[in-house]
Amino acid sequence: MEPNRDPSPPASGSGFEIRPCAAEDRPAQVELFEACFGHGDGAGVLAWRYDRCPHGVPVCLLGSLDGQAISGYACNPRRLGWDEAGQVVGQTGDVMTLPEARGAGYFSRLDRRAMELVHGRDWPVVFGLPNRQSARIFMERLGWKGVGQLQPWTLVLRSGPVARRERLRAGRLASWLSPLAARR
């Protein structure tokens, strides 16, 4: 799937620069990841995704405004199937922009640049698994096509307050009904 490209104007801010991530960019990338996602293990997560990806070399971009990393994006190779003969496709991920820089078009520029770079690879399709908020941006502003929707599956292992908070991510009704469905 190749997303439609809209001819929207570049983001405001003359100091915005997009560059491929290199090893020396990892500290800035980790800081951005942790600021956007609230994780404390950005270094471990990103090292696996970008430095030790088992299916090939990802397209990984960093957007900086006047030298400060404000946005990042990656498209990782994913092998379909269980053996080495499986087809490799692209999966978008680590879509991140600092809250104070959102809405200015920086990520749109990153997406366009990433897809230009991905186009040169032999991947027949690129897909993403956006959350509710970013799905709208990908489809309405960036021209991606929706091909379906994944529903969350829940296997209840514990029924305490921590587990209930996690189930709330799928919705209030689902959080209450999943323990009942598990008992059946």
Side-chain angles (χ1 to χ4, degrees), residues 154-167 175-183:
T154 304
L155 175 62
V156 178
L157 299 175
R158 293 184 182 91
S159 60
V162 173
R164 183 169 178 278
R165 267 195 312 275
E166 188 62 31
R167 290 192 310 269
S175 76
W176 287 103
L177 295 179
S178 59
L180 298 173
R183 287 188 184 124

Side-chain angles (χ1 to χ4, degrees), residues 1 35 40 59 63 83 88 96 104 119 126 132 138 140 148 155 166:
M1 162 176 64
V59 170
D83 59 15
V88 175
M96 48 191 173
H119 192 71
V126 172
R132 289 182 182 122
F138 273 96
E140 291 176 11
L155 175 62
E166 188 62 31

